[in-house]
C-alpha cells in the first residue's frame, strides 16, 4: 500500500473514517487519476456504520440526480432533489455530528450552476417541453430557498472546489486500494456515470493508464509512493485545461472499455513498465496514444482511430481535442511508416473533425482552422494523386477497407470533402466584411481552392463515375463562370476559359442525369458567354434551354443564378447595342425595385411583413460573397438608359393617343418622381442624370442628352465598370442620335412641310445613309406620314395630322364602332338556347319588376309635369 | 465564287448518290480544279458498288495508268453478289410479276392483308421481305435506281410501319425517286417520310433533329424541281417550328434556299417576308450570304444601294448553285420588283435615271419597265418626262375617308343585329304562348 493510502487509512480510523477529515491534510496528494467516485463500490461497505449508511443513501440519490442532469430531465431532477432533501433530513443526526458532507455541498453547488446555466440559455429554454420548463422554474425556486441554509458551506466550497474532487478521488483511491483487481472492470463504467468533473479524452486515457498502474501497485509494493505523487502533480498541472473542456458523454465509457481491452491484450508488464518509465519526465504535453512498447501496427492505429472517431458528434466531445488527437495519431502513423493507406484514412478523419468543429451551421470557421483545413485537404490530394493505386470512395464498405497492402481501399469521398470545403469558404466570405482586409485575405484562398478543385478534377477524371465527374465539373464551372477572362483583352493569348467552360458544360449536358446540375451548368455557361460579350451564343443557349418556362420549379439558389444570368445577359446585350433586348432581360429584375434581393446581394428591409429570424438566417446564408456581386447601380443605369431609348420616342409618337401603354413602368416612375420636385438642380446621382437626359431627348436635343448620359461623373459611376467603356460610350452616342432624330421627327413633323435630309444629318451629326434608313423605316412602319422626294433629298410631310374637329370625328367614329361591336358581343353571349330555358322565369320576374319601376317613374314624371 | 459554294456543307447531310449530281454540276461550272473534283468523285465512289463508273473516273483522272486491280476485283465481287441476290429474289420477283398480285396490291391498302394474301396464294414468307430489301439496297448501291425504287415500293407496302428498317426503306425510296427525277412520286415519298419523322418514334430529341436536318436537305431536290415546290418549301421550312428550329440550330445555310423561294414566290411574298426577315436577322451572326444580305439591306436598313450591290452578287451565287440556277431569271426579276416596290412606298418622286441605276438597267429599259407596271395597274404613278421623274400617286388617306371607312359597315352590322334580336323576340313570344297554354 502506498504511504498516502496508509495515511488516509490511519486517519479515517482515528476519526471514525471519514473523508472530509482527509481533505485538509493531504489535498495535493490525491490523484485525479483515481477520481472514480464509485457508488457501487460503496454498496459493498454497507456494514460500516449508520453514518455511512445515510451517506450512501445520499450518494445513490446524487448519482441518479447527476444522470438526470445529463439528460436535462427537469421533472426527474426535481423529484430527485426532493428525495435528496428528505434523505438529508434523515441523515440529520449524523450531519449534526460530522458537519455537512462535502459531496452534499458539491451536488448543491453543481445543481445550482446547472440550473443557472439552463435558465440563462433562453433558446434552450424555449425548446423545452412544457413539463420540463415548469420543472425548471420550480426547481430553481426550491433550490434557492434550500441553498440558503447551506450558504456558508457553499461559499466555502466555491472557494476551493477542487478539494472536493480530490476528496472524492481520495476516497476512490482508497477504495481502489482496498478492492480486488476483478472489480476494476465494474468500476470503470460506473465511474463515467458519476464523474461530475469535466474530463477530457486524453485525461481519460491517462487516468486509465494510471488506474492500471495502481492495480499493478498492489502486486509490487516497494516504490508506490513515487507514481502516486507524480500522478497528482501531473494532473494538477493539467487542471486548468480540464476546466475548459467539456464533459465527456456516457458513450465514452464504451470507448474506455475498448481501450481497456486493448490494454489487456498488451501484456501487463509492458503497460506497467511504461508508466514507471514515464515518471522521470513528468511533463507530457501531447496526449499519449500508445504504450511505449506496444508495437504500433495497422491494427492498433485503426483501433485507436475508431475509438477517437466514435466520440464524434457527441454533445460533450471536445472537438478541438479530437483534432489534436487525430493529428497525433497521424504523426505516430507516419513515424512508424504505416503507409499511405493509414495516412489517408486519418487525414480524412482530421478534415471531417475540422468540419465538425462548428456545430452551428450559421457560423463559420476560425481562420486558423480554415488554413489548417486547406493544408490538410491539399495534403490529402497530394497523397491520393501520388498513390494512384488507392481506391478512396464512399462505396467502399467499412468491412472491405484495406489500409495495409497496396491495393488500398478506403472509405471516404474526397469529392464530398472538397465540396464541403467550398461551402465553408463561402460561409467564411459571407461572415467577413466585404470591404475589410480580412476579406481580401480570405479571397486569396480562392486561388488555392480553385487549384484544389482543378487537381481533384484531374484526379477524378479517369477513375470516378460520370456522376461524380459532373459534380466536380460543376464546381469548377462555378468557380470560373463569373470571372472575366482578361487574357481575352490581350487578344494574342488563347482564350482558355471559354474553351474550358465549353468542354465542361458540354460534358454535363451530355452525361448529367439529375437535371439540376445541367440547369446550373447551362446558366453558368450563358453567364460566361454574356460576360465576354458573346451575345448571340448566350441568347441562343438561353432560348434553346427553355429555362424561362421551367425555372420557377427549381430550387432557390438555382433561381438566384437564373436571375444573375438574366442580368448579365441584359448587360451583354446592352454592350452589344441591343437596347431592346437589354430592356426585356432586365425588366423583371428591375421592376419590383428588389434587384438587390433577387440577386442575393443583400437583404432589403421589409416594411409590410417582418421576416422571422429563421427566414432571415436562411436568406443570409444564400447571399453571395462580395466578389461575385453585380454592380446594382450599373444595372439600374443600363436599364434606365435602354428604357429611355425606347420610351421617349414612343411617348413622342403617341402623344395624342388616348390609350397609351407604358413600356417601362419603372422608368415612368423615376420620371414622375423627378417632376414632383419643386426645384431641380444640376443632376447629381445616376438617376438624376438619366432623367435630365430624357428631358433633353424629349426636345430632340441629342447633344444635351448625350452630355447628361456620358460625362465624368457617369463615367466613374457607371460606364468605366464595363470592360470596354469606349465602345459602349460610342454605342450609346449613336443610339441617342438616332432616337433623338426619331423623337424630333415625331414631335415637330406637324410644324414642317418638308425637311431636308441634309439638314437633319447635320443636325444630328449622323451620316445621310443612317438618316435615310431611319426615316424609311418610320415611313414603312407608318409611324411617320411622309414620303421622300428623291431628286431634292427631302422628306415631304403628308400633313395628315388631323385638325381638332377631324380627330374628334375620328374618335367618335371609333367609339361608335366599339359600341356596335359590344352589342354584337352581348347578343352573341345571350344567344345560347340554354340560357333561354333556364333563365326565362327569373328574367320574366325581373322584367315585371322593371316594368313596375318604370311605371312608377313615369308616374313621378307625370306628377312633376303637372 | 467558291466562297459561297455550299456543296461541302450540304454534302454531309446528303447521301453519297445524291452528291453526284452536285459534283457533276460543279465540274461543269469549273469552279474548282478538275483533278480535285475527280479525286473527290473517286473517293465518293469507293464505298458504292458503281465500279464501272469508278473505273471511268479513274481513267479520266489518270489517263496514263491502268485501272487498279482492287477495282477489278471489286467488280468481280459485286457481280457475284448481284447474281446471288438475284437468285434469291427470283422467286419473289416472279410473284410480283403476276398480274393478279399487282391488282391485289393496288386494291388492298393494308400491308398485313396483302401479306396474308401472298402467303396463302404464293407461299410468301416474312423473311422474303428482308431479302427483297437487301436486294433493293444492292441495286441502289449499284446505281440502278429504278430497280431499287420498284423493290422498295413492295417492301414498304409489306413492312409494318413499326419495323426497324421501315424508315430506311422510306429514305431509300425517296433517294431513288430523286435520282430518277420522278418529282411527283418523290414529293409523295417526302411527305410520307415527314409524317413518320414527325410522329417521332425516335428515342432521343437529337436523333429526330438529325433526321429532320437530313429531310430538309433532301427535300431541296424536290422543292426546286417540283412546280409547287416553292410554296411547299415556305410552308415546311418557315412555318413548321420544328423544321425552322432544325435549320436554325444545325444548318442555317438553308436560309439561302428559303430566301430565294420566298422572293421568287409572287403570291405569298408580302405576308411571308416579315417572318423571314426576323429569322434572317436572328441568324445573321452564324450565316450570311449575298441573298440573305440582300433581304437584310432592303428590309432592315433600307439601304437601296447596298441592296443593288448585293443583287449583283446574288446573280453570280445563283448561277453557281445547283438548286437555284434554274430560278435565276425569276429571282432577278422579282428582286428588282421588290426594290422598286419598297422604293415607291417610301418615295414620292423618283428620277428615272436613279431608278435605272438602282435596278441595274438602262434608263430606257427602266422607263419601259415602269410604264408596263403602270399599265398593268400595279403601280399608282405617273411619269413626268420633262424632268425625267416618276411621281407617285397620293398614298395618304384623308380623315374624311377614314371616318367613312370606319363607319361604312356600321349600318349593315346594326341591321343584322336588329334582325337577330327580332328573331329572338319572336321565339320568346312563341315560348311564352306555349307556357301560357300550360298554365
Amino acid at each position: 500500500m502506498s504511504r498516502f493510502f496508509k495515511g488516509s487509512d490511519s486517519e479515517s480510523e482515528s476519526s471514525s473514517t471519514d473523508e472530509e477529515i482527509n481533505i485538509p491534510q493531504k489535498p495535493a496528494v490525491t490523484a485525479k487519476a483515481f477520481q472514480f467516485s464509485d457508488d457501487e463500490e460503496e454498496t459493498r461497505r454497507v456494514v460500516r456504520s449508520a453514518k455511512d449508511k445515510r451517506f450512501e443513501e445520499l450518494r445513490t440519490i446524487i448519482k441518479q440526480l447527476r444522470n438526470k442532469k445529463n439528460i436535462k430531465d427537469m421533472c426527474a431532477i426535481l423529484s430527485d432533489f426532493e428525495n435528496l432533501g428528505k434523505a438529508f433530513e434523515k441523515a440529520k443526526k449524523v450531519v449534526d455530528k460530522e458537519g455537512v458532507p462535502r459531496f452534499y455541498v458539491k451536488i448543491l453547488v453543481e445543481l445550482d450552476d446547472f440550473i443557472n446555466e439552463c435558465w440563462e440559455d433562453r433558446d434552450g429554454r424555449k425548446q423545452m417541453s412544457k413539463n420540463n420548463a415548469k420543472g425548471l422554474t420550480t426547481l430553481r425556486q426550491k433550490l434557492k430557498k434550500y441553498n440558503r441554509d447551506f450558504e456558508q458551506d457553499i461559499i466555502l466550497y466555491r472557494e476551493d472546489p477542487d478539494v472536493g474532487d480530490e476528496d472524492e478521488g481520495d476516497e476512490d483511491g482508497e477504495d481502489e486500494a482496498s478492492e480486488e483487481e476483478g472489480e476494476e472492470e465494474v468500476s470503470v463504467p460506473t465511474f463515467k456515470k458519476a464523474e461530475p468533473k469535466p474530463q477530457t479524452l486524453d485525461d481519460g486515457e491517462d487516468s486509465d493508464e494510471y488506474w492500471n498502474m495502481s492495480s499493478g501497485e498492489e502486486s509490487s509494493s516497494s516504490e508506490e509512493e513515487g507514481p502516486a505523487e507524480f500522478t497528482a502533480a501531473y494532473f494538477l498541472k493539467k487542471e486548468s485545461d480540464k476546466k475548459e473542456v467539456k464533459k465527456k458523454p456516457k458513450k465514452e465509457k464504451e470507448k474506455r472499455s475498448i481501450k481497456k481491452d486493448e490494454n489487456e491484450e498488451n501484456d501487463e508488464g509492458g503497460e506497467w513498465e511504461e508508466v514507471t518509465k514515464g515518471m522521470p519526465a513528468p511533463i507530457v504535453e501531447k496526449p499519449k496514444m500508445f504504450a511505449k512498447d506496444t508495437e504500433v501496427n495497422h491494427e492498433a492505429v485503426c483501433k485507436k482511430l475508431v475509438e477517437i472517431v466514435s466520440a464524434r458528434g457527441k454533445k460533450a466531445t471536445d472537438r478541438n481535442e479530437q483534432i489534436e488527437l487525430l493529428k497525433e495519431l497521424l504523426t505516430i502513423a507516419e513515424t512508424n511508416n504505416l503507409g499511405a493507406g493509414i495516412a489517408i484514412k486519418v487525414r480524412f478523419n482530421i478534415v471531417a473533425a475540422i468540419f465538425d468543429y462548428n456545430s452551428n451551421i450559421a457560423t463559420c470557421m476560425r481562420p486558423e482552422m480554415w488554413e489548417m483545413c486547406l493544408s490538410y485537404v491539399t495534403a490529402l490530394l497530394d497523397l491520393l494523386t501520388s498513390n494512384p493505386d488507392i481506391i478512396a470512395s464512399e462505396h467502399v464498405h467499412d468491412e472491405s477497407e484495406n489500409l495495409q497492402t497496396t491495393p488500398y481501399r478506403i472509405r471516404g469521398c474526397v469529392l464530398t470533402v472538397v465540396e464541403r470545403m467550398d461551402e465553408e469558404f463561402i460561409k467564411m466570405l459571407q461572415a467577413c466584411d466585404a470591404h475589410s482586409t480580412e476579406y481580401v485575405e480570405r479571397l486569396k484562398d480562392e486561388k488555392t481552392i480553385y487549384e484544389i478543385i482543378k487537381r481533384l478534377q484531374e484526379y477524378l477524371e479517369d477513375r470516378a463515375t460520370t456522376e461524380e465527374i459532373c459534380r466536380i465539373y460543376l464546381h469548377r464551372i462555378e468557380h470560373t463562370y463569373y470571372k472575366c477572362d482578361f487574357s481575352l483583352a490581350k487578344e494574342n493569348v488563347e482564350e482558355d476559359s471559354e474553351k474550358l467552360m465549353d468542354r465542361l458544360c458540354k460534358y454535363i449536358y451530355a452525361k448529367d442525369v439529375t437535371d439540376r446540375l445541367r440547369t446550373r451548368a447551362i446558366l453558368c455557361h450563358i453567364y460566361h458567354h454574356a460576360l465576354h460579350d458573346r451575345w448571340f451564343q448566350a441568347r441562343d443557349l438561353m432560348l434553346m434551354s427553355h429555362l424561362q418556362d421551367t425555372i420557377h420549379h427549381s430550387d432557390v439558389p438555382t433561381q438566384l443564378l437564373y436571375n444573375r444570368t438574366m442580368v448579365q445577359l441584359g448587360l451583354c446585350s446592352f454592350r452589344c447595342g441591343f437596347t431592346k433586348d437589354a430592356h426585356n432581360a432586365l425588366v423583371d429584375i428591375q421592376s419590383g425595385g428588389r434587384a438587390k434581393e433577387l440577386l442575393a446581394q443583400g437583404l432589403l428591409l421589409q416594411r409590410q411583413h417582418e421576416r422571422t429570424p429563421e427566414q432571415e438566417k436562411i436568406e443570409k446564408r444564400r447571399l453571395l460573397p462580395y466578389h461575385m456581386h453585380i454592380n446594382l447601380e450599373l444595372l439600374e443605369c443600363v436599364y434606365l438608359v435602354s428604357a429611355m431609348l425606347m420610351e421617349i420616342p414612343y411617348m413622342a409618337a403617341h402623344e395624342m393617343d388616348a390609350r397609351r401603354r407604358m413600356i417601362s413602368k419603372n422608368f415612368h416612375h423615376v420620371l414622375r418622381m423627378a417632376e414632383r420636385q419643386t426645384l431641380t438642380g444640376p443632376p447629381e446621382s445616376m438617376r438624376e442624370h438619366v432623367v435630365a437626359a430624357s428631358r433633353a431627348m424629349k426636345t430632340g436635343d441629342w447633344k444635351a442628352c448625350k452630355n447628361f448620359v456620358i460625362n465624368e461623373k457617369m463615367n466613374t459611376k457607371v460606364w468605366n465598370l464595363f470592360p470596354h467603356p469606349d465602345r459602349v460610350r460610342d454605342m450609346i452616342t449613336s443610339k441617342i442620335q438616332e432616337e433623338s432624330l426619331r423623337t424630333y421627327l415625331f414631335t415637330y413633323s406637324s410644324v414642317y412641310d418638308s425637311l431636308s435630309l441634309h439638314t437633319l444629318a447635320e443636325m444630328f451629326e449622323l451620316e445621310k445613309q443612317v438618316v435615310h434608313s431611319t426615316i424609311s423605316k418610320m415611313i414603312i412602319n407608318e409611324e411617320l406620314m411622309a414620303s421622300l422626294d428623291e431628286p431634292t433629298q427631302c422628306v415631304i410631310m403628308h400633313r395628315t395630322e388631323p385638325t381638332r374637329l377631324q380627330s374628334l370625328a375620328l374618335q367618335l367614329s371609333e367609339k361608335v364602332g366599339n359600341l356596335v361591336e359590344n352589342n354584337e358581343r352581348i347578343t352573341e353571349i345571350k344567344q345560347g338556347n340554354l340560357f333561354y330555358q333556364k333563365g326565362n322565369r327569373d328574367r320574366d320576374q325581373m322584367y315585371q319588376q322593371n316594368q313596375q319601376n318604370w311605371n312608377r317613374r313615369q308616374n313621378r314624371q307625370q306628377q312633376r309635369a303637372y | 465564287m467558291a466562297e459561297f459554294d455550299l456543296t461541302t456543307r450540304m454534302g454531309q447531310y446528303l447521301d453519297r448518290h445524291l452528291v453526284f449530281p452536285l459534283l457533276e454540276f460543279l465540274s461543269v461550272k469549273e469552279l474548282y480544279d478538275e483533278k480535285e473534283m475527280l479525286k473527290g468523285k473517286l473517293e465518293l465512289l469507293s464505298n458504292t458498288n458503281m465500279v464501272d463508273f469508278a473505273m471511268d473516273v479513274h481513267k479520266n483522272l489518270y489517263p496514263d495508268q491502268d485501272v487498279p486491280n482492287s477495282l477489278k476485283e471489286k467488280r468481280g465481287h459485286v457481280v457475284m453478289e448481284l447474281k446471288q441476290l438475284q437468285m434469291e429474289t427470283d422467286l419473289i420477283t416472279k410473284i410480283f410479276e403476276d398480274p393478279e398480285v399487282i391488282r391485289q396490291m393496288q386494291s388492298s391498302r393494308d400491308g398485313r392483308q396483302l401479306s396474308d394474301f401472298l402467303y396463302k396464294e404464293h407461299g410468301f414468307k416474312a423473311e422474303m421481305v428482308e431479302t427483297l430489301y437487301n436486294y433493293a439496297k444492292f441495286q441502289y448501291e449499284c446505281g440502278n435506281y429504278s430497280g431499287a425504287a420498284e423493290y422498295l415500293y413492295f417492301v414498304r407496302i409489306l413492312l409494318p410501319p413499326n419495323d426497324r428498317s421501315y424508315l430506311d426503306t422510306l429514305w431509300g425510296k425517296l433517294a431513288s425517286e430523286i435520282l430518277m427525277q420522278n418529282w411527283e412520286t418523290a414529293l409523295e415519298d417526302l411527305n410520307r417520310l415527314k409524317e413518320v419523322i414527325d410522329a417521332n418514334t425516335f428515342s432521343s430529341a437529337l436523333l429526330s433533329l438529325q433526321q429532320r436536318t437530313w429531310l430538309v436537305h433532301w427535300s431541296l431536290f424536290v422543292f426546286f424541281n417540283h412546280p409547287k415546290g416553292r410554296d411547299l418549301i415556305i410552308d415546311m421550312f418557315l412555318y413548321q417550328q420544328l423544321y425552322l428550329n432544325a435549320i436554325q440550330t444545325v444548318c442555317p445555310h438553308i436560309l439561302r434556299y428559303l430566301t430565294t423561294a420566298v422572293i421568287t414566290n409572287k403570291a405569298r411574298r408580302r405576308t411571308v417576308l416579315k417572318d423571314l426577315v426576323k429569322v434572317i436577322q436572328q441568324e445573321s451572326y452564324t450565316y450570311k450570304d449575298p441573298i440573305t444580305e440582300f433581304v437584310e439591306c432592303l428590309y432592315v436598313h433600307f439601304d437601296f444601294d447596298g441592296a443593288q450591290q448585293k443583287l449583283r452578287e446574288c446573280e453570280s451565287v445563283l448561277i453557281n448553285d445547283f438548286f437555284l440556277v434554274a430560278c435565276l431569271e425569276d429571282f432577278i426579276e422579282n428582286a428588282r420588283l421588290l426594290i422598286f416596290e419598297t422604293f415607291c412606298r417610301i418615295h414620292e418622286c423618283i428620277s428615272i435615271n436613279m431608278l435605272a441605276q438602282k435596278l441595274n438597267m438602262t434608263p430606257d429599259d427602266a422607263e419601259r419597265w415602269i410604264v408596263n407596271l403602270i399599265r398593268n395597274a400595279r403601280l399608282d404613278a405617273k411619269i413626268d418626262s420633262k424632268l425625267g421623274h416618276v411621281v407617285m400617286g397620293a398614298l395618304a388617306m384623308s380623315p374624311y375617308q377614314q371616318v367613312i371607312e370606319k363607319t361604312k359597315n356600321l349600318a349593315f352590322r346594326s341591321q343584322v343585329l336588329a334582325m337577330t334580336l327580332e328573331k329572338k323576340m319572336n321565339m320568346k313570344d312563341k315560348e311564352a304562348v306555349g307556357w301560357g297554354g300550360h298554365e
Side-chain angles (χ1 to χ4, degrees), chain B residues 213-423:
Chain B
T213 318
W214 281 65
L215 191 68
V216 162
H217 283 86
W218 290 34
S219 63
L220 289 179
F221 286 97
V222 184
F223 287 146
F224 280 99
N225 288 298
H226 194 275
K228 274 197 281 176
R230 312 251 177 97
D231 263 338
L232 294 172
I233 192 175
I234 296 170
D235 287 337
M236 181 166 151
F237 288 4
L238 193 60
Y239 287 113
Q240 298 212 349
Q241 201 55 41
L242 289 170
Y243 289 91
L244 184 62
N245 284 349
I247 290 170
Q248 282 179 316
T249 45
V250 185
C251 47
H253 53 263
I254 292 294
L255 284 179
R256 170 193 291 184
Y257 302 101
L258 185 58
T259 313
T260 317
V262 170
I263 289 176
T264 51
N265 190 325
K266 273 185 200 134
R268 299 180 53 192
R269 187 166 56 204
R270 242 172 251 260
T271 48
V272 172
L273 255 172
K274 231 178 202 172
D275 300 312
L276 180 70
V277 169
K278 226 180 271 167
V279 177
I280 287 177
Q281 259 187 303
Q282 237 173 47
E283 298 307 312
S284 61
Y285 76 104
T286 49
Y287 180 74
K288 240 182 210 169
D289 71 11
I291 297 167
T292 60
E293 277 173 325
F294 168 74
V295 174
E296 231 183 338
C297 272
L298 200 57
Y299 286 100
V300 180
H301 307 304
F302 297 96
D303 174 7
F304 296 99
D305 293 327
Q308 177 52 35
Q309 185 63 32
K310 291 293 165 204
L311 186 58
R312 256 180 234 141
E313 281 175 35
C314 284
E315 219 170 306
S316 51
V317 172
L318 288 180
I319 285 175
N320 289 313
D321 195 297
F322 173 79
F323 297 103
L324 303 179
V325 69
C327 46
L328 175 66
E329 288 296 312
D330 219 6
F331 180 83
I332 298 292
E333 172 69 22
N334 279 300
R336 251 183 218 155
L337 206 63
L338 277 184
I339 296 180
F340 185 63
E341 234 171 55
T342 326
F343 211 75
C344 292
R345 278 179 66 192
I346 295 173
H347 288 83
E348 200 177 49
C349 178
I350 315 160
S351 76
I352 290 178
N353 281 335
M354 206 272 306
L355 201 61
Q357 193 197 331
K358 289 241 147 94
L359 298 176
N360 203 12
M361 288 167 151
T362 62
D364 284 346
D365 277 348
E367 194 172 340
R368 197 170 303 129
W369 194 62
I370 292 168
V371 169
N372 276 332
L373 281 177
I374 294 173
R375 277 179 53 198
N376 295 340
R378 287 177 64 182
L379 191 67
D380 178 21
K382 289 205 164 62
I383 295 176
D384 181 345
S385 56
K386 192 164 93 189
L387 295 170
H389 286 173
V390 185
V391 181
M392 304 296 144
L395 289 167
M397 220 193 256
S398 72
Y400 175 71
Q401 263 177 314
Q402 284 178 40
V403 172
I404 295 279
E405 193 68 37
K406 269 180 191 157
T407 49
K408 201 162 57 182
N409 59 356
L410 284 186
F412 173 70
R413 273 160 75 181
S414 316
Q415 208 178 342
V416 171
L417 203 62
M419 269 164 67
T420 39
L421 276 177
E422 204 175 308
K423 213 187 276 170

Side-chain angles (χ1 to χ4, degrees), chain A residues 536 539-540 544 773 776-777 780 787-791 796 800 806 814 816 823-824 827 831 836 840, chain B residues 249 282 285 300-303 345-349 351 354 389 396 399 402 406 410 413 417 424 431:
Chain A
F536 288 107
R539 182 201 64 184
D540 283 2
M544 268 196 282
S773 87
S776 305
K777 228 177 278 177
I780 285 275
S787 53
L788 291 170
D789 188 60
E790 199 272 325
I796 294 173
T800 48
Q806 280 168 337
E814 205 163 285
V816 171
N823 279 340
E824 275 173 352
T827 42
Q831 215 161 19
Y836 259 104
N840 231 344
Chain B
T249 45
Q282 237 173 47
Y285 76 104
V300 180
H301 307 304
F302 297 96
D303 174 7
R345 278 179 66 192
I346 295 173
H347 288 83
E348 200 177 49
C349 178
S351 76
M354 206 272 306
H389 286 173
Q402 284 178 40
K406 269 180 191 157
L410 284 186
R413 273 160 75 181
L417 203 62
K424 248 175 244 170
E431 258 173 58

